[in-house]
Amino acid sequence: MWRIKALWHLHCCVLAVCSTGGRPARTPVCLIRFFPELREAGGEPTYLIGIRQILDIVIYGGLAHGNPQRRIEGTMTEELSDRVAIVTGASNGIGRGIAEALAAAGAKTVLAARRTEMLQGVASGIRSAGALPVTTDVTREDQVVQLFRTTYETYGRVDVLVNNAGVPTHVPIEDITLTYWQEVLDVNLTAAFLCSREAVKIMKSQTPQGGRIINIGSVSAKTPRPDSLPYTATKFALQGMTHQLTMDGRKYGVVASILHPGATLSSFSTRRGRTKAGPGATPDDYVMAAEDVAKVVVLMCSLPPEVNLYEAIILPNHMRSFIGRG
């Protein structure tokens, strides 16, 4: 009976949020009714933690109908207040959105990228006092080692690594030079390896032990774009690296996940002329905001340490090149 009541109040929470256009003003009433009844029924079962995560998504995800700033402010749940997170490629685009969302959720967030001025601008825009910019070229082993050393010396641990840094490619295969191929692999794959290696070193030795590594892949790991051989190869390889990291990291409490975004506003899309997220000229021209992707990252980080959302794909509903044959 209490299960039925729990689901009913979950339904009420959804309706309350939807009826207010995503504003969480009425939601606390639902939560007050929902969780005490579960406690009176003998405690909150472990699997119902997932329901609480769904509530967070519904409550704060509803803010997607508002302006972008409120979308970030709406995730201020402090559910990651005891975590230390490193985000690579954090100076703009998806990396910036992820860094802002993690900080908004309470994490002490370390921002890594090559461009110092842009990185400091992102850090200053994050209201959390735990935003630490560390200028880093993630293709340089010595700089990656220093990034993790600085993080550990500042915060004493690393709980989350988001391997987001990457570069796109659009060159016919016959025109790809060996130098170009190696440069793409250095950023998209070798950098993720270097950062993951350093993260595991710390995660296995810290107390409490463990942590999460989240690799930002691409739907190109499922359906490639034309003339993108180096990019596609690295995203497929990143999928394999994620699998291996998860398998090898289990004994240390380290889990790895991969998130494949579809069309998202970033420096890549800006170069192609898209400067604003949202609808385009046709339904299949919709471009997601970085905040949309960031919410999935926050969800991955918010799960209990025994649970891993191993793989996720987030994309515009009308993204023809993935769902259809295009």
Side-chain angles (χ1 to χ4, degrees):
M1 176 61 71
W2 66 264
R3 288 188 179 90
I4 296 174
K5 294 171 72 177
L7 291 173
W8 170 251
H9 288 306
L10 172 61
H11 173 68
C12 291
C13 288
V14 174
L15 291 178
V17 174
C18 293
S19 67
T20 57
R23 296 184 301 275
R26 291 175 57 187
T27 304
V29 176
C30 297
L31 293 176
I32 289 170
R33 294 176 61 192
F34 180 51
F35 290 110
E37 289 195 24
L38 289 180
R39 286 195 293 271
E40 291 169 5
E44 181 182 1
T46 301
Y47 66 82
L48 279 173
I49 294 173
I51 291 180
R52 186 163 53 202
Q53 296 298 338
I54 293 171
L55 286 171
D56 285 340
I57 295 172
V58 172
I59 294 167
Y60 299 111
L63 292 168
H65 299 290
N67 61 61
Q69 182 60 37
R70 289 192 62 195
R71 294 165 81 170
I72 287 296
E73 290 175 353
T75 62
M76 290 290 285
T77 63
E78 299 299 317
E79 58 189 326
L80 302 180
S81 59
D82 60 339
R83 316 289 177 82
V84 177
I86 296 175
V87 181
T88 69
S91 59
N92 64 359
I94 294 175
R96 176 174 185 163
I98 292 171
E100 290 174 341
L102 289 172
K108 298 176 179 65
T109 309
V110 180
L111 317 175
R114 290 177 298 175
R115 291 170 286 188
T116 302
E117 186 175 344
M118 291 183 66
L119 202 60
Q120 291 176 341
V122 176
S124 64
I126 293 177
R127 296 177 181 179
S128 167
L132 175 67
V134 181
T135 304
T136 308
D137 181 345
V138 290
T139 67
R140 293 273 305 275
E141 183 176 21
D142 59 332
Q143 293 192 27
V144 170
V145 171
Q146 184 59 48
L147 165 65
F148 282 82
R149 181 182 296 124
T150 299
T151 302
Y152 187 78
E153 290 174 350
T154 303
Y155 298 118
R157 62 184 297 108
V158 174
D159 298 290
V160 175
L161 164 65
V162 181
N163 283 315
N164 167 76
V167 293
T169 64
H170 189 71
V171 178
I173 185 170
E174 64 271 20
D175 295 329
I176 298 172
T177 65
L178 180 59
T179 298
Y180 182 74
W181 169 268
Q182 290 174 332
E183 287 174 349
V184 176
L185 261 65
D186 283 347
V187 179
N188 290 7
L189 188 61
T190 303
F193 153 69
L194 291 172
C195 290
S196 298
R197 183 192 68 186
E198 296 306 305
V200 170
K201 286 180 182 179
I202 294 175
M203 290 173 177
K204 68 178 287 189
S205 61
Q206 63 192 8
T207 303
Q209 191 182 58
R212 292 185 184 273
I213 297 172
I214 300 174
N215 294 319
I216 304 302
S218 169
V219 293
S220 288
K222 308 295 181 179
T223 52
R225 286 196 191 100
D227 298 328
S228 299
L229 180 60
Y231 183 79
T232 299
T234 56
K235 295 304 179 181
F236 269 85
L238 202 58
Q239 178 88 51
M241 182 185 294
T242 304
H243 201 146
Q244 192 74 47
L245 282 168
T246 295
M247 184 170 67
D248 294 347
R250 284 173 174 170
K251 55 184 173 290
Y252 310 127
V254 177
V255 297
S257 308
I258 189 163
L259 173 57
H260 299 297
T264 310
L265 187 67
S266 66
S267 58
F268 307 158
S269 56
T270 300
R271 292 171 198 160
R272 298 195 300 270
R274 286 302 295 266
T275 59
K276 185 178 180 181
T282 63
D284 56 355
D285 285 333
Y286 189 95
V287 173
M288 298 184 298
E291 294 93 331
D292 297 324
V293 178
K295 287 174 185 175
V296 182
V297 173
V298 172
L299 171 61
M300 288 175 164
C301 294
S302 304
L303 292 171
E306 299 82 9
V307 178
N308 184 21
L309 176 52
Y310 169 71
E311 182 177 9
I313 299 173
I314 179 171
L315 71 166
N317 189 43
H318 290 277
M319 190 170 173
R320 182 179 54 188
S321 62
F322 179 78
I323 297 299
R325 286 184 171 265

